[in-house]
Amino acid sequence: MAGEDQKKSFPEDFFISVGGMFYTLKEEIFSCIVFAGRVSSAVLDAFRHPGKIRKRELLYFMNLCGADGVPITFLICFLTGFILGYQCAVQMQKYGADAFLAGLVGCAMVRELSPLMVSIIATGRTGSAFAAEIGSMKVSEEVDALRTMGFMPERFLVVPKLFAMALMMPLLAIIGDIAGILGGAVIGITVLHQPLSAYYSQTVSWVRPGYFLESIIKTAVFGIIICFIGCWRGFRTGSDALAVGRSTTSSVVLSILFVIIADTILAHFFNNIFF
Amino acid sequence: MSEKNCPAIEVKDLVAKYGERIILNHISFTVPQGEILTILGSSGCGKSTLLKHLTGLYTPLSGEILLHGKSIVHAAEEEKRLLMSSFGVAYQGGALFRSFTVEENVALPLEEYTLLSREEIRKKVKEKLKMVNLDGFQHLMPADLSGGMLKRCAFARAMALDPKLLFFDEPSAGLDPVSSASLDELILQIREKTGATIVIVTHELDSIFRISDRSIMLDAGTKKIIADGKPEDLRKNCANEEVRRFLNRGKL
Ligand SMILES: Nc1ncnc2c1ncn2[C@@H]1O[C@H](COP(=O)(O)OP(=O)(O)OP(=O)(O)O)[C@@H](O)[C@H]1O
Ligand SMILES: [Mg+2]
């Protein structure tokens, strides 16, 4: 086979590889749609019979993607607020726009950066872990075992993760929001020499309560996307151990891509609501 | 045909492929109820593949598979799941759920498919684990078990619902001779007690002669069944030299 391939001349080779790419793309999109259908039906089923949701797994995953992520989320969002505040303070000082620092950092963190940062952390921490977990279960035939026991694997392997992500990501975002505002405040106080009370009242007057709702909704959506892609890549894992590595990588890349795309759409949507 | 007296498994003209590669080419056989059938063949000839088609994990390219008279190939999703829950499978590597303890692994089908109370389930799990000599290991995680223990636990899980049809993929591979022999006894016991039909993929000659009523042998070259019959008869009188060599440990 390999020998034949090498003999092919340029145009043939080119068209074959382009065709192959589109074929793979078609396969992946189909599998994604099928998987979405299966997950939706499993989620609907879970809503219909809430007693059948496995509580222990739900709690385990809530702990994994929620509580365990608090310190790193706090640190990264604090530093993001700090960096953003620092870069802006330097520029704003030139124009005497010091008083707007609190508003800028607060709005940017709550509406955009904290949901994004939380999602990127979750992609690396949990999305890839989901892909690896399901992928290795596939390699060790555990997914097959679930199926031949007459279960829908999605019910066991996706539903608890999906609920845990949709519930815990918004909480992390709120923590991130507050951490980001604190990071900005440190700059306001140390670089621009604003009193804490002034920074606080500026923040309160700029950052509307609705922005927190935006934060919550965005991260819930991102959480669902990350979980969905992680699990989908996990289920697409081939049957060797290397395949697990490949599927975790692709889950991270695809999650970030789709989170950014979703963010673009949601940013537009929320701007229409608020302005 | 009523469910009572139709064969446990009927395979008609099964063709199986991975991508472009044909693994099984027009295979047909029938397994009557209560029989212990062993599937033999050299490594990589498609034994696990055949088992995965029989259990409905893969859909064949063409052909028909009937389990107790019901098609697993043409069943709709819901029907297929119901059919799947009616038999037990123990996989080549155990395939226990790693986040569950031994007890939870065996209890899972009972929790999902029966209305037994927690206490009754615990009792039932204990009984099944006792059968495979694993009583007392209820609270260990699969990662803490040896290979042989994993296999026995997978056995217990496959038998949790006392199914009428059992599939075992290489149950005794990698076990010491004593465990392997006691596993053979266990398989005979299960059949005696429940009258279950049992399909086993195995390489172990001792097991093959000890437990199987009948063996079929797959061939990697022709991708067909090259022998079908009682293992003792096949060893002595099979027309195919390969089969005799296999059953005589390579000597003729
Ligand atoms: N998922 C798969 N995709 C592609 N090819 C596969 C897949 N699984 C198995 N094969 C190929 O199919 C052939 C039969 O594999 P199978 O696992 O059925 O063999 P086996 O008889 O069970 O072997 P063993 O005794 O080693 O378990 C092998 O050549 C293998 O390379
Ligand atoms: Mg095999």
Side-chain angles (χ1 to χ4, degrees):
Chain A
M1 282 287 276
E4 280 169 43
D5 278 349
Q6 277 168 4
K7 280 206 193 106
K8 284 195 184 100
S9 54
F10 160 72
E12 263 173 73
D13 215 12
F14 176 75
F15 287 120
I16 287 172
S17 66
V18 169
M21 223 171 65
F22 277 105
Y23 181 76
T24 316
L25 193 66
K26 185 209 95 184
E27 292 276 291
E28 294 295 342
I29 290 172
F30 267 48
S31 90
C32 182
I33 293 169
V34 169
F35 183 62
R38 298 179 68 95
V39 170
S40 321
S41 105
V43 168
L44 275 184
D45 206 49
F47 278 121
R48 240 180 277 140
H49 314 280
K52 285 180 104 181
I53 300 173
R54 302 188 69 86
K55 306 282 173 316
R56 215 182 45 138
E57 257 113 282
L58 183 62
L59 289 176
Y60 170 79
F61 285 114
M62 281 170 79
N63 189 38
L64 181 80
C65 46
D68 288 352
V70 168
I72 185 74
T73 302
F74 189 91
L75 182 66
I76 288 186
C77 287
F78 180 86
L79 291 176
T80 309
F82 186 89
I83 297 163
L84 183 67
Y86 188 67
Q87 295 287 10
C88 292
V90 174
Q91 305 297 327
M92 289 166 114
Q93 222 172 5
K94 290 186 203 157
Y95 303 101
D98 299 13
F100 294 110
L101 181 72
L104 194 151
V105 173
C107 292
M109 280 310 301
V110 174
R111 297 192 58 193
E112 267 318 322
L113 289 175
S114 150
L116 265 187
M117 287 300 158
V118 167
S119 307
I120 287 172
I121 298 166
T123 304
R125 284 185 70 246
T126 36
S128 61
F130 292 168
E133 181 199 319
I134 296 179
S136 63
M137 284 182 78
K138 228 182 141 193
V139 172
S140 65
E141 297 183 309
E142 285 170 66
V143 175
D144 288 346
L146 276 174
R147 287 181 58 201
T148 49
M149 283 161 113
F151 303 142
M152 240 169 107
E154 289 81 6
R155 202 188 105 212
F156 284 81
L157 301 179
V158 183
V159 169
K161 297 184 177 76
L162 208 57
F163 284 180
M165 285 290 265
L167 289 173
M168 300 314 281
M169 289 280 286
L171 292 181
L172 285 181
I174 297 289
I175 290 171
D177 293 345
I178 293 167
I181 290 173
L182 288 177
V186 171
I187 295 295
I189 292 163
T190 56
V191 178
L192 300 182
H193 307 294
Q194 294 170 339
L196 180 61
S197 61
Y199 195 92
Y200 175 75
S201 60
Q202 277 294 320
T203 302
V204 172
S205 75
W206 277 100
V207 181
R208 294 195 238 161
Y211 293 175
F212 282 95
L213 192 65
E214 182 178 352
S215 212
I216 289 172
I217 293 175
K218 270 187 174 174
T219 35
V221 172
F222 297 164
I224 290 169
I225 291 175
I226 293 166
C227 177
F228 177 83
I229 291 179
C231 295
W232 171 51
R233 293 321 297 171
F235 275 109
R236 289 289 287 171
T237 303
S239 45
D240 58 310
L242 289 178
V244 177
R246 277 198 297 275
S247 54
T248 42
T249 310
S250 75
S251 86
V252 169
V253 174
L254 283 176
S255 294
I256 291 180
L257 175 66
F258 280 98
V259 162
I260 300 280
I261 291 174
D263 193 27
T264 315
I265 297 167
L266 285 175
H268 183 69
F269 172 73
F270 281 107
N271 272 328
N272 283 343
I273 289 183
F274 289 129
F275 299 103
Chain B
M1 231 188 310
S2 80
E3 197 166 319
K4 268 262 146 37
N5 46 33
C6 69
I9 303 173
E10 253 186 294
V11 177
K12 297 177 193 160
D13 237 10
L14 175 72
V15 180
K17 253 186 177 182
Y18 287 119
E20 287 299 300
R21 243 174 87 209
I22 292 181
I23 306 292
L24 304 170
N25 197 2
H26 296 285
I27 281 188
S28 305
F29 61 94
T30 305
V31 187
Q33 286 190 27
E35 186 172 78
I36 297 182
L37 173 81
T38 48
I39 300 176
L40 319 179
S42 54
S43 195
C45 68
K47 302 182 295 297
S48 301
T49 306
L50 175 58
L51 213 56
K52 285 191 171 162
H53 281 86
L54 294 181
T55 52
L57 284 171
Y58 296 151
T59 311
L61 193 69
S62 69
E64 179 65 291
I65 298 167
L66 303 172
L67 301 180
H68 292 288
K70 293 194 200 98
S71 167
I72 197 158
V73 178
H74 295 106
E77 175 95 16
E78 202 63 35
E79 212 182 323
K80 186 165 170 177
R81 254 184 279 153
L82 199 69
L83 202 53
M84 282 172 146
S85 66
S86 73
F87 56 75
V89 188
Y91 287 85
Q92 199 161 358
L96 296 178
F97 306 123
R98 274 166 293 170
S99 54
F100 287 17
T101 62
V102 167
E103 179 165 35
E104 287 163 341
N105 261 293
V106 183
L108 186 65
L110 295 166
E111 281 167 10
E112 294 289 329
Y113 290 118
T114 66
L115 296 169
L116 299 178
S117 71
R118 210 168 269 265
E119 211 33 62
E120 287 169 310
I121 288 181
R122 183 161 306 153
K123 227 189 252 160
K124 191 118 196 201
V125 171
K126 195 179 165 72
E127 180 192 311
K128 297 289 169 203
L129 287 177
K130 210 172 224 159
M131 273 180 90
V132 295
N133 270 325
L134 275 181
D135 189 21
F137 295 94
Q138 270 91 336
H139 300 294
L140 288 187
M141 299 306 275
D144 304 329
L145 299 181
S146 72
M149 288 160 95
L150 280 176
K151 287 214 158 136
R152 283 185 278 151
C153 183
F155 251 62
R157 187 177 68 180
M159 293 184 307
L161 293 169
D162 297 317
K164 281 269 163 278
L165 182 52
L166 282 160
F167 296 96
F168 298 136
D169 198 350
E170 308 215 359
S172 45
L175 292 192
D176 63 276
V178 178
S179 314
S180 161
S182 73
L183 214 56
D184 292 345
E185 290 310 311
L186 179 62
I187 291 171
L188 290 172
Q189 254 175 43
I190 296 168
R191 200 255 305 258
E192 193 136 316
K193 259 191 215 155
T194 64
T197 313
I198 305 176
V199 176
I200 307 167
V201 169
T202 182
H203 291 301
E204 299 288 315
L205 286 180
D206 296 337
S207 308
I208 294 169
F209 292 120
R210 174 89 186 85
I211 59 178
S212 47
D213 300 322
R214 182 176 144 214
S215 299
I216 58 175
M217 185 152 171
L218 299 177
D219 178 55
T222 57
K223 306 178 185 348
K224 284 190 185 296
I225 296 175
I226 48 169
D228 183 342
K230 266 182 90 66
E232 274 304 335
D233 295 343
L234 290 181
R235 179 169 67 167
K236 288 185 198 123
N237 317 320
C238 186
N240 190 314
E241 191 180 313
E242 272 307 309
V243 179
R244 270 179 291 148
R245 199 194 298 278
F246 184 98
L247 291 171
N248 284 310
R249 290 186 199 282
K251 297 186 282 277
L252 266 185

